């Protein structure tokens, strides 16, 4: 779809969406996004120019269907996939990609770390993906020197970053905000550094006693990114890995640096979003979102979870979806899903499904809470279908139609029950939705109440003004 769009841009020194937006150009990608989001094209252009919205769209990802991440658009969900040295292969990862897209992933990150040819896996994923693909280049940088921190050079990092751009990666997590002076602030944490990329860079700095090369070479990375329109996803290397460590000095020091880097990238017209925690108690979520907006001038916030408790291994798609819904409500632009396997193992296809649906619920709930135009339309339509006992329409409108139908059919599988005015919970005689009270019935009741006023009807006191009722008090019962 995008081949003709990007053809004329090739060879230009800066092909980023932000660069065109700041020149007053509405690109084809912006038009496409405006239609998907039901937003004016000029608003999309202005938000991209301002930095509050990103459209991750590498010019080499020609089969991409452009989407937007930002406060003006719907809350988005990312799914992580990736092969590890102990499990999975390229074919399995493409299956996970297809499943993630099926269940509504807005972007997908390939977090492969080894066990396969990483370039081949990435190429297969990008070729098959209609959604933006993100990566974490430090993983392959370390793998390229066979895991040797001693041999890993600054140029190794930049070589892998450009390779990912050449392949068509739409956004990359760049852990440039972790500075060597931040490492001492980790003292006193229970879980230390839990970011895999952050851990690699911390080891590098501790071994070489030099500043983070992704920070010192940040301008070089910008020069690479603007040639391909690759978006920064500035990594939170010091995100908290448990409730105890949330919102501490280490996390906030890095966040301040991420704000500085955001503005440096914007000076070169490079798109930026900023990653966030992590594990955060519910009462600190709003603070974390607002703090990011303040430090990073409202660049889109992209959070992992956050998990609101640490005691539920095997159910962290639930503990984190609670925090994700709250984060989205307070203004987070994209939520990175967590699967039931979090902290336990590499997710399989079923785990991807469970994590994605949990996060689609969280993102949708956030959109409703933020009163986004049309956000509740699907809820209302499903509710009408539920009230009308239109089972097939209920299934079709569900986030996971197959699961909804499966659960219904476990007890009432015959087709005749798709017209039944009950489910197996209440049975045929006790479903309250069978009691159809019409507007005409209620209008008639209003007239009766207007006539009777404050008199007692059947032992219930009626409030004429608001049609509320209260049960008789013990004293009233004694008098009756």
């Amino acid at each position: 779809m995008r081949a003709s769009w990007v053809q004329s841009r090739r060879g230009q020194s800066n092909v980023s969406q932000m660069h065109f937006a700041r020149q007053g150009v509405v690109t084809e990608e912006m038009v496409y996004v405006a239609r998907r989001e039901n937003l004016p094209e000029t608003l999309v252009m202005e938000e991209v120019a301002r930095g509050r919205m990103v459209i991750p769209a590498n010019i080499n990802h020609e089969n991409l269907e452009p989407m937007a991440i930002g406060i003006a658009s719907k809350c988005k969900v990312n799914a992580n996939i990736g092969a590890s040295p102990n499990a999975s292969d390229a074919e399995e990862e493409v299956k996970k990609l297809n499943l993630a897209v099926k269940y509504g992933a807005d972007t997908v990150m390939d977090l492969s770390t080894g066990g396969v040819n990483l370039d081949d896996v990435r190429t297969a994923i990008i070729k098959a993906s209609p959604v933006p693909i993100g990566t974490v280049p430090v993983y392959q940088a370390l793998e390229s020197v066979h895991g040797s921190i001693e041999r890993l050079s600054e140029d190794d990092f930049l070589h892998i970053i450009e390779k990912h751009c050449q392949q068509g990666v739409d956004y990359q997590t760049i852990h440039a905000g972790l500075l060597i002076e931040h490492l001492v602030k980790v003292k006193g944490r229970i879980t230390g550094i839990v970011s895999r990329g952050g851990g690699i860079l911390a080891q590098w700095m501790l071994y070489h006693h030099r500043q983070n090369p992704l920070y010192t070479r940040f301008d070089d990375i910008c020069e690479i990114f603007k040639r391909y329109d690759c978006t920064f996803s500035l990594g939170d290397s010091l995100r908290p890995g448990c409730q105890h460590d949330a919102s501490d000095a280490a996390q906030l020091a890095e966040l301040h640096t991420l704000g500085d880097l955001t503005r440096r990238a914007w000076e070169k017209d490079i798109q930026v979003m900023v990653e966030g925690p992590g594990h955060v108690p519910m009462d600190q979520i709003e603070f974390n979102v607002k703090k990011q907006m303040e430090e990073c001038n409202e660049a889109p916030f992209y959070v992992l979870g956050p998990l609101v408790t640490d005691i539920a291994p095997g159910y962290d798609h639930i503990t984190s979806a609670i925090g994700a819904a709250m984060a989205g409500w307070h203004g987070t632009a994209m939520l990175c899903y967590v699967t039931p396997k979090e902290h336990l193992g590499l997710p399989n296809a079923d785990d991807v499904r469970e994590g994605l649906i949990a996060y689609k619920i969280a993102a949708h709930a956030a959109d409703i809470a933020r009163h986004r135009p049309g956000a509740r339309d699907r809820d209302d339509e499903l509710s009408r279908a539920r009230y009308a006992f239109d089972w097939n329409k209920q299934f079709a409108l569900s986030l996971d139609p197959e699961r909804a139908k499966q659960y219904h059919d476990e007890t009432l599988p015959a087709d005749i029950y798709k017209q039944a005015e009950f489910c197996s919970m209440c049975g045929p005689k006790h479903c309250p939705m069978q009691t159809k009270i019409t507007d005409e019935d209620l209008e008639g009741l209003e007239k009766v109440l207007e006539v009777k006023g404050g008199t007692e009807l059947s032992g219930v006191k009626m409030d004429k003004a608001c049609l509320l009722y209260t049960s008789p008090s013990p004293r009233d019962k004694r008098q009756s």
Side-chain angles (χ1 to χ4, degrees), residues 11-121:
Q12 297 182 30
S13 61
N14 192 333
V15 296
S16 79
Q17 296 294 313
M18 175 176 272
H19 182 65
F20 290 120
R22 287 179 167 181
Q23 294 178 324
V25 175
V26 177
T27 65
E28 292 89 345
E29 289 84 357
M30 295 176 203
V31 173
Y32 193 91
V33 162
R35 291 173 182 167
R36 291 186 73 169
E37 297 284 348
N38 195 26
L39 294 172
E41 294 172 9
T42 54
L43 175 64
V44 172
M45 181 192 72
E46 290 165 0
E47 289 293 290
V48 172
R50 164 70 174 75
R52 268 193 304 238
M53 177 182 287
V54 298
I55 301 175
N58 188 312
I59 60 170
N60 291 333
H61 191 177
E62 294 184 351
N63 57 317
L64 174 73
E65 297 174 7
M67 52 78 72
I69 303 165
I71 193 67
S73 61
K74 292 187 287 290
C75 188
K76 301 303 193 298
V77 173
N78 171 73
N80 291 335
I81 61 175
S84 79
N86 298 321
S88 194
D89 55 30
E91 183 179 351
E92 179 67 20
E93 295 312 311
V94 171
K95 287 180 181 178
K96 289 182 193 175
L97 165 72
N98 293 334
L99 193 69
V101 172
K102 174 182 177 180
Y103 288 110
D106 298 294
T107 78
V108 171
M109 292 199 75
D110 170 24
L111 304 185
S112 297
T113 56
V116 293
N117 184 306
L118 297 179
D119 293 333
D120 290 347
V121 169

Side-chain angles (χ1 to χ4, degrees), residues 252-444:
L252 297 181
E254 181 185 30
L255 179 59
H256 182 76
T257 305
L258 294 179
D260 292 339
L261 293 171
T262 295
R263 290 180 286 275
R264 283 174 59 184
W266 283 350
E267 288 173 1
K268 298 177 181 295
D269 292 355
I270 307 299
Q271 299 188 97
V272 179
M273 57 184 171
V274 178
E275 298 183 11
H279 292 240
V280 180
M282 291 172 65
D283 62 309
Q284 295 180 28
I285 291 174
E286 181 178 11
F287 163 79
N288 273 264
V289 176
K290 302 305 181 189
K291 185 67 172 174
Q292 185 274 345
M293 290 182 175
E294 173 190 329
E295 292 280 5
C296 303
N297 295 83
E298 298 180 321
F301 200 21
Y302 165 31
V303 302
L304 175 68
L307 285 73
V308 297
T309 181
D310 299 328
I311 62 170
Y315 298 91
D316 279 333
H317 60 310
I318 298 173
T319 66
S320 62
I322 294 168
M326 294 184 66
W329 173 29
H330 291 303
T332 294
M334 186 160 75
L335 311 172
C336 184
Y337 88 157
V338 173
T339 76
K341 288 279 180 62
E342 185 76 8
H343 307 114
L344 301 173
L346 189 71
N348 59 27
D350 287 339
D351 300 320
V352 169
R353 176 184 185 178
E354 294 290 334
L356 256 174
I357 296 300
Y359 271 70
K360 293 299 286 187
I361 294 168
H364 184 68
D367 285 336
I368 292 174
R370 292 187 65 81
H371 301 281
R372 297 193 189 280
R376 211 188 64 203
D377 291 353
R378 183 172 173 181
D379 300 75
D380 293 348
E381 191 176 357
L382 191 148
S383 296
R384 292 186 187 99
R386 179 174 289 150
Y387 193 61
F389 294 99
D390 188 338
W391 293 102
N392 287 323
K393 191 171 185 179
Q394 287 186 67
F395 303 153
L397 289 167
S398 300
L399 284 174
D400 188 349
E402 294 169 359
R403 178 63 57 80
K405 185 176 185 299
Q406 173 194 343
Y407 282 1
H408 173 273
D409 291 357
E410 281 180 0
T411 50
L412 298 172
D415 285 344
I416 191 173
Y417 291 116
K418 302 301 187 297
Q419 285 79 45
E421 294 193 352
F422 61 89
C423 70
S424 60
M425 171 65 79
C426 295
K429 296 182 179 180
H430 301 289
C431 179
M433 288 194 181
Q434 292 175 356
T435 306
K436 304 298 185 187
I437 301 175
T438 67
D439 288 347
E440 289 77 12
D441 294 331
L442 296 174
E443 288 168 4

